[in-house]
Amino acid sequence: MKIGKATVPRSAITTSNADTIVVRGQDLSRDLIGQVNFGDYFHFLLTGRRPDAAASAVLNATLVAIADHGLVPSVQAARMTYAAAPEALQGAVAAGILGCGSVILGASETAGRLFVEIDEEAKKRGGDLREAARAVVTARREKKQAIPGYGHPEHKERDRRVDALFDVSKKVGGGQHFVEIATIVEELIPGIVGKDLRLNVSAAIPAVLLGVGFPVGALKGVPILARTASLIAHLNEEMSDPIGFALSYQAMREYEYTGAMPEGPK
């Protein structure tokens, strides 16, 4: 049964023969290995273009910023999975990445789409970013939707990674349009939401990446890629200093059963 319009599988990313591996039109062994760092190679794979200096600096900074944040749910899931199946490192990494959603890690994509929506709304309002942001955030609030990229359970003041990323972007000449949008939203949130929710790293990442032309549809890939590196590091530590079962033990110790109990013997 045919599904979709395509009838021939095709890709513009990679091909190979007995002598050559071609990636986006370049010889992998001659033109890329030893010539580009991994962040730039990721950009090249994704877009078909080598990043300019600004895009390279911003992308690599975001990867560093989001890679690790302690024993967060993705790391705990990976460590406990490895404890249960130490023969499958890849399964433990996958367990950690599968939790990339709207609350954890995936918020960079949803925040980016919010900023793009505000940008599009501003074009209808003669470029007025503040009124566009007010309209979009108010509409989301009326629908009881979260404002992605704002507020953090630990960093009640603005997440320090935000200013670090904004500083990198400004220093290297990255576009500041979406940084301005992100900042305006932060200023408007208290009056609309009723809470002083500050920018967190999941909003800073799309703000700086969109400013250097990074595709919005691939924004979720940045924290996924970065967290993969972190998970491998945690799992390497798990091999020599295991805590996977300790994490499970702590959960069971705090566990409270709230269901019914069988009646005793009559």
Side-chain angles (χ1 to χ4, degrees):
M1 179 177 68
K2 181 177 178 297
I3 301 175
K5 296 181 179 180
T7 58
V8 178
R10 58 186 183 273
S11 171
I13 298 176
T14 310
T15 189
S16 64
N17 56 36
D19 301 313
T20 308
I21 301 172
V22 177
V23 179
R24 293 289 192 182
Q26 296 196 12
D27 186 304
L28 174 63
S29 300
R30 184 190 65 207
D31 304 325
L32 297 170
I33 295 175
Q35 308 299 316
V36 295
N37 63 53
F38 184 70
D40 289 2
Y41 187 51
F42 169 52
H43 187 284
F44 180 63
L45 281 170
L46 187 67
T47 67
R49 305 183 309 276
R50 293 202 191 194
D52 60 20
S56 174
V58 166
L59 176 57
N60 278 284
T62 61
L63 289 167
V64 172
I66 197 64
D68 193 80
H69 200 278
L71 290 177
V72 293
S74 58
V75 171
Q76 293 192 41
R79 281 190 179 250
M80 285 190 284
T81 299
Y82 185 82
E87 72 281 1
L89 178 70
Q90 72 279 11
V93 172
I97 293 302
L98 285 172
C100 179
S102 59
V103 177
I104 302 294
L105 295 179
S108 289
E109 179 192 22
T110 51
R113 294 191 183 279
L114 169 67
F115 299 155
V116 169
E117 182 182 353
I118 291 170
D119 182 49
E120 292 298 320
E121 182 65 25
K123 293 173 183 176
K124 303 174 187 176
R125 296 171 177 262
D128 191 330
L129 291 177
R130 183 168 292 273
E131 287 309 305
R134 189 187 308 278
V136 171
V137 173
T138 298
R140 290 195 173 216
R141 180 62 175 170
E142 289 173 349
K143 296 176 184 177
K144 301 188 184 304
Q145 295 176 341
I147 311 302
Y150 294 84
H152 193 282
E154 183 174 17
H155 307 295
K156 300 304 181 183
E157 297 300 319
R158 181 188 274 192
D159 187 333
R160 293 184 68 179
R161 293 171 293 179
V162 172
D163 289 332
L165 288 176
F166 286 0
D167 287 346
V168 168
S169 176
K170 189 172 183 179
K171 181 179 179 180
V172 302
Q176 299 301 298
H177 180 68
F178 291 97
V179 171
E180 182 181 2
I181 291 175
T183 303
I184 289 172
V185 171
E186 183 183 52
E187 294 169 357
L188 292 174
I189 279 179
I192 298 172
V193 178
K195 295 180 181 179
D196 187 15
L197 302 177
R198 301 299 183 91
L199 273 158
N200 65 42
V201 73
S202 291
I205 286 173
V208 297
L209 285 175
L210 291 172
V212 293
F214 195 86
V216 66
L219 282 171
K220 187 184 287 186
V222 172
I224 289 175
L225 179 61
R227 188 55 53 88
T228 297
S230 168
L231 292 174
I232 293 171
H234 276 276
L235 294 170
N236 183 63
E237 183 180 65
E238 184 70 19
M239 295 175 192
S240 59
D241 189 10
I243 63 169
F245 286 129
L247 292 169
S248 176
Y249 165 72
Q250 293 292 337
M252 289 301 297
R253 191 174 68 172
E254 298 296 326
Y255 167 76
E256 179 182 351
Y257 175 68
T258 59
M261 294 295 289
E263 295 183 4
K266 295 181 179 180

